[in-house]
Amino acid sequence: MFEGYDFEVIERSLGYLFRDGMVFTLTLTGLAMTGGIIFGTLLAMMRLSSFRPLSALAGGYVNLMRSLPLVLVIFWFFFLVPYIGAWVIGADRPIAVGAFWSAVITFTMFEAAYYCEIMRAGIQSIARGQVWSGYALGLNYWQTMGQIVLPQAFRNMTPVLLTQTIILFQDTSLVYVISATDFLGAASKVANRDYRLVEMYTFVALVYFIMSYSLSLLVRRLQDRIAVIR
Amino acid sequence: MISLRHVSKWYGTFQVLNDCSTEVARGEVVVVCGPSGSGKSTLIKCVNGLEPFQKGEISVDGVSVGDPKTNLPKLRARIGMVFQNFELFPHMTVTKNLTLGQVKVLGRSMEEATQKGLKLLERVGLSAHKDKYPGQLSGGQQQRVAIARALSMDPIAMLFDEPTSALDPEMINEVLDVMVELAKEGMTMMVVTHEMGFARKVAHRVIFMDGGAIVEDAKKEDFFGTPRSERAQLFLSKILQH
């Protein structure tokens, strides 16, 4: 059945696949997750603000990002960011951002919209009385958020945030459209060079499956352990 | 100490508070009672600005609550508040609950705050539970911690919003005992409650609310003797039968 296939191509390219490809994928996932959660949390706080312009702005941003295909946003940012960068620092030529940082910015901005909705639900799940209680102690808005609401919201939402991160991890493979060498990109290059498409893509699928699935198992275990006792 | 003048509040077009005026003097214990939906909880939440009001004026120790220029967090830090559902912070230990406000708001050192917190915890009889999380305590214990937390800020007055309504009957007294003791020490207190026994024991005045308005504002003796309003008489006859 496996006649004519050469699975050794995988072994030969393991170093390149993981040291170059997977490191890129994981770094991108990690940075975009961190940035996305921070930015998304700020967006969620804005969306829940009673100050109309602020909540409208955040709402508009989230709806815009969630209505656009990710591939489009990746492209769009890749071509736009150098010009925005030039405009910000006042350079007369587009600045070279590079595929990696362009991808980091794109995924942070894009995922922030999704993390925002998760954090919004998380913040809203905290009873109004907790906020009152913080205010009654004399804490201001930021202290109440930082000490009381957000820690609880994060804890309640950790499983969902991680699930979203697994999706982010898979979505980073879309950077192939800007020719960045992530895990899939690296495999694809080897596959095309050696004409071993079936072998490489099967292997890539397997790796993505194992990593995503074990992460989601971990999330499920975590869910029971971190619940706040009430 | 606490003064309310012609306070009115609306939720949209629905009026929840209707021209409420009263005073709580220093060291006075005032019980606010009335049927549910009469606006008692809303009224007490207006006193420290947790609920905004549209008309009238409330001042605490000379500071206007409704004035946008007032530093509300600073004012609230001086007024202790105890809630119906305790509202301890479930992700923090009892000790952390007791020190948070002292450290973050009053700028006390962790050491000083902990010492003060533990002293108050001892006072409410819960020293043994200092490292537990609120979820590991019974309702009555949680409410006593909540009172200790409010006291840790050295408040000039205490507001209680139905502090025993969410408790099982056998736990009500342990909380009331702490409150009685507090009242006897001369703490200025405004207490929304249905516990008429508590009112009889320590209240100086009783306010009866109905439909968002203060219907009766009388000395305890007068209130339990012969309330002037028919509505208050009916209310009393209903809850005192049992």
Side-chain angles (χ1 to χ4, degrees):
Chain A
M1 180 189 169
F2 289 115
E3 270 167 58
Y5 292 111
D6 171 21
F7 282 94
E8 270 170 25
V9 66
I10 296 163
E11 209 184 314
R12 286 197 302 274
S13 52
L14 273 183
Y16 175 62
L17 283 180
F18 282 92
R19 225 177 309 120
D20 290 42
M22 191 49 93
V23 167
F24 182 102
T25 296
L26 290 179
T27 319
L28 178 57
T29 306
L31 287 175
M33 175 189 77
T34 314
I37 289 180
I38 294 170
F39 184 36
T41 304
L42 283 173
L43 278 173
M45 286 161 72
M46 282 168 71
R47 276 205 89 166
L48 293 170
S49 161
S50 53
F51 185 57
R52 268 295 171 76
L54 211 56
S55 60
L57 189 72
Y61 177 85
V62 170
N63 287 326
L64 174 72
M65 281 299 169
R66 301 215 306 170
S67 311
L68 295 175
L70 178 52
V71 177
L72 175 75
V73 181
I74 295 172
F75 260 133
W76 193 54
F77 266 78
F78 184 61
F79 294 116
L80 203 68
V81 165
Y83 290 97
I84 294 176
W87 179 70
V88 167
I89 62 169
D92 46 4
R93 262 190 296 170
I95 52 167
V97 181
F100 176 71
W101 287 107
S102 173
V104 170
I105 295 170
T106 309
F107 277 95
T108 301
M109 306 282 280
F110 190 81
E111 290 300 322
Y114 290 86
Y115 285 126
C116 165
E117 292 304 275
I118 297 170
M119 283 313 291
R120 183 165 72 126
I123 292 171
Q124 281 176 325
S125 73
I126 307 304
R128 185 100 190 84
Q130 286 284 302
V131 178
W132 274 334
S133 173
Y135 283 162
L137 273 179
L139 300 175
N140 60 34
Y141 172 80
W142 291 102
Q143 289 170 323
T144 306
M145 272 290 163
Q147 300 287 328
I148 296 156
V149 179
L150 290 183
Q152 294 185 64
F154 268 121
R155 210 177 290 206
N156 293 350
M157 287 295 135
T158 301
V160 196
L161 288 171
L162 286 177
T163 304
Q164 181 63 36
T165 304
I166 296 172
I167 298 170
L168 164 66
F169 167 67
Q170 293 159 3
D171 282 353
T172 54
S173 60
L174 286 173
V175 294
Y176 82 89
V177 298
I178 52 172
S179 311
T181 309
D182 72 322
F183 184 61
L184 177 62
S188 157
K189 278 176 191 165
V190 175
N192 283 304
R193 186 195 63 193
D194 298 354
Y195 203 65
R196 290 293 167 198
L197 297 154
V198 174
E199 294 89 331
M200 290 309 281
Y201 285 133
T202 309
F203 176 66
V204 167
L206 200 66
V207 172
Y208 270 110
F209 173 77
I210 291 172
M211 291 185 70
S212 299
Y213 187 64
S214 40
L215 264 171
S216 62
L217 284 183
L218 199 74
V219 170
R220 218 176 297 166
R221 299 248 325 247
L222 207 65
Q223 221 155 2
D224 311 324
R225 286 197 33 203
I226 55 161
V228 184
I229 322 161
R230 292 195 168 273
Chain B
M1 172 77 66
I2 300 170
S3 124
L4 295 87
R5 276 185 295 274
H6 308 293
V7 175
S8 293
K9 176 182 170 68
W10 287 264
Y11 284 125
T13 54
F14 178 70
Q15 188 164 11
V16 270
L17 292 178
N18 184 2
D19 199 31
C20 297
S21 297
T22 190
E23 302 267 340
V24 181
R26 194 176 297 273
E28 197 174 25
V29 177
V30 174
V31 162
V32 184
C33 62
S36 52
S38 60
K40 350 178 258 302
S41 285
T42 309
L43 185 74
I44 203 166
K45 285 198 187 86
C46 285
V47 172
N48 65 353
L50 288 181
E51 290 273 12
F53 49 94
Q54 283 79 30
K55 246 174 98 181
E57 205 183 318
I58 298 178
S59 71
V60 179
D61 200 28
V63 183
S64 166
V65 177
D67 188 344
K69 286 195 288 281
T70 299
N71 183 343
L72 266 185
K74 203 173 159 191
L75 178 65
R76 286 175 184 142
R78 302 173 65 207
I79 312 168
M81 182 146 195
V82 175
F83 298 88
Q84 182 173 4
N85 294 311
F86 332 130
E87 303 302 350
L88 292 174
F89 307 130
H91 58 305
M92 298 176 182
T93 62
V94 166
T95 308
K96 188 82 203 296
N97 264 281
L98 290 163
T99 53
L100 182 74
Q102 297 186 68
V103 173
K104 296 279 170 198
V105 179
L106 302 181
R108 288 178 185 157
S109 71
M110 197 41 133
E111 201 181 339
E112 188 189 354
T114 309
Q115 210 171 16
K116 169 114 195 163
L118 292 182
K119 218 166 87 189
L120 285 162
L121 203 56
E122 194 184 327
R123 182 179 158 171
V124 296
L126 294 169
S127 295
H129 304 285
K130 67 183 170 71
D131 296 321
K132 287 192 181 164
Y133 284 87
Q136 297 168 290
L137 303 180
S138 74
Q141 290 170 329
Q142 288 192 51
Q143 193 62 299
R144 283 187 280 156
V145 173
I147 294 173
R149 181 176 68 179
L151 291 175
S152 74
M153 304 294 284
D154 291 321
I156 54 170
M158 288 280 285
L159 308 173
F160 292 85
D161 183 12
E162 306 207 27
T164 56
S165 318
L167 295 175
D168 290 337
E170 79 266 25
M171 292 169 185
I172 290 176
N173 278 329
E174 63 188 67
V175 171
L176 287 180
D177 287 346
V178 174
M179 291 169 62
V180 166
E181 201 184 315
L182 207 56
K184 284 183 176 157
E185 282 167 20
M187 175 61 82
T188 308
M189 291 163 72
M190 197 165 167
V191 186
V192 173
T193 187
H194 292 133
E195 296 296 331
M196 288 302 124
F198 171 80
R200 283 209 166 153
K201 207 185 276 179
V202 293
H204 299 104
R205 276 184 21 246
V206 178
I207 290 172
F208 177 76
M209 288 184 74
D210 190 26
I214 293 180
V215 179
E216 186 124 2
D217 184 345
K219 281 201 175 120
K220 170 178 63 179
E221 295 78 17
D222 298 340
F223 184 80
F224 287 113
T226 44
R228 277 161 293 177
S229 69
E230 221 171 280
R231 193 67 191 80
Q233 284 171 12
L234 190 69
F235 178 76
L236 272 182
S237 72
K238 270 186 186 157
I239 62 170
L240 289 182
Q241 270 169 6
H242 308 289

